[in-house]
Amino acid sequence: MELSVLWKLSYGMYAIGTLDGTRPTGCIVNTVAQITSTNPVIAVSMNKNNFTYEAIKKTGRFTVSILTEKTAPNVIAKLGFCSGRDTDKFDGKDFAWKALDGLPVVKDNCAGHLVAEVLSMTEVETHYIILARVKDAQPCTNFAPMTYKYYHEVIKGSAPKNAPTYQASAAQKTTSGSTTEKWVCSICGYVYEGDLTKEPADWVCPICKQPKSKFVKQ
Ligand SMILES: Cc1cc2nc3c(=O)[nH]c(=O)nc-3n(C[C@H](O)[C@H](O)[C@H](O)COP(=O)(O)O)c2cc1C
């Protein structure tokens, strides 16, 4: 079996928003899919270890912010590489958010926002497949929705272990066959192509904002 075939599946990029009591929290997922058309139901694959899973279980509702190619990297860094267990992700310092039907959504540059109510959670290995009824859907901009491919190939971001599409052997790969020098961010997996030593001392990872010292030469 050649697992790399799975990389050819297509996905989008989304920010899930929910509440931990009254505190907004959430995370990045690439696994939102529409399951039914009438009275639409969506599915999300959520890692059991994600704090967002616990919050959704308690709240029973969540939002989906459909990210676009204009979404600031800070949104993905804060929501996709930190945990709401120890980080106040919606503290307003790295990106702006607003409430929609009482739940947090990313304010700027999204293609649209959904509000969904949980119907069921089915345990599948490391994840829960959350089925949820769409209760509200609001358009935002006409910017191109960010695909997972765009995130990997243009932004050169990677996915952490909790993403269902994570494959350890692929975590540090970019364009195959390239002989360019590569430096990999040990925090988020972002791949810098070229001579990183030539960047200024205050250069930081565009995804997770870590300094050059966190990069390992491949
Ligand atoms: C590009 C990308 C895609 C991701 N996709 C998923 C996903 O589909 N499901 C999931 O459970 N986690 C996914 N994650 C991982 C979570 O966003 C990440 O583990 C986050 O830190 C969880 O935060 P929390 O503990 O506050 O819930 C993804 C992360 C990134 C950066």
Side-chain angles (χ1 to χ4, degrees):
M1 183 159 73
E2 181 53 77
L3 285 178
S4 62
V5 173
L6 293 171
W7 304 337
K8 296 176 196 255
L9 293 172
S10 302
Y11 305 92
M13 287 285 289
Y14 312 96
I16 300 296
T18 188
L19 294 173
D20 167 33
T22 54
R23 184 176 69 106
T25 194
C27 72
I28 296 295
V29 298
N30 60 283
T31 50
V32 176
Q34 183 177 350
I35 304 301
T36 65
S37 60
T38 315
N39 217 355
V41 171
I42 56 172
V44 183
S45 174
M46 184 63 68
N47 193 288
K48 290 176 188 173
N49 296 325
N50 283 358
F51 184 69
T52 307
Y53 157 67
E54 293 171 29
I56 290 178
K57 200 164 76 168
K58 280 190 274 177
T59 309
R61 292 192 316 140
F62 62 91
T63 57
V64 179
S65 297
I66 303 169
L67 306 185
T68 70
E69 293 177 4
K70 303 274 186 203
T71 296
N74 274 348
V75 172
I76 298 169
K78 189 96 174 237
L79 296 178
F81 291 96
C82 305
S83 179
R85 262 186 208 96
D86 49 35
T87 307
D88 195 2
K89 295 186 178 184
F90 290 82
D91 59 8
K93 288 182 187 156
D94 297 286
F95 63 90
W97 65 278
K98 64 177 184 176
L100 178 61
D101 296 352
L103 300 172
V105 289
V106 175
K107 187 163 172 250
D108 298 320
N109 299 336
C110 287
H113 294 135
L114 306 176
V115 177
E117 196 171 271
V118 176
L119 295 173
S120 67
M121 292 191 177
T122 304
E123 193 174 352
V124 184
E125 313 278 353
T126 50
H127 286 68
Y128 275 93
I129 306 301
I130 303 175
L131 289 178
R133 176 90 59 204
V134 175
K135 303 303 270 187
D136 197 359
Q138 299 291 334
C140 302
T141 72
N142 285 325
F143 299 144
M146 189 190 293
T147 62
Y148 197 48
K149 184 178 164 74
Y150 181 94
Y151 172 69
H152 280 294
E153 294 184 358
V154 180
I155 300 186
K156 301 212 185 298
S158 73
K161 286 195 174 137
N162 285 2
T165 45
Y166 175 82
Q167 286 189 20
S169 59
Q172 298 182 348
K173 275 188 194 160
T174 52
T175 332
S176 59
S178 165
T179 54
T180 319
E181 190 174 306
K182 292 190 181 79
W183 297 74
V184 177
C185 177
S186 59
I187 305 300
C188 72
Y190 171 78
V191 179
Y192 177 96
E193 294 194 9
D195 186 357
L196 186 61
T197 60
K198 291 197 174 136
E199 294 291 351
D202 58 355
W203 185 92
V204 291
C205 173
I207 302 293
C208 67
K209 309 295 170 204
Q210 296 297 312
K212 281 205 287 186
S213 57
K214 298 286 184 198
F215 278 69
V216 179
K217 191 175 175 186
Q218 295 300 290

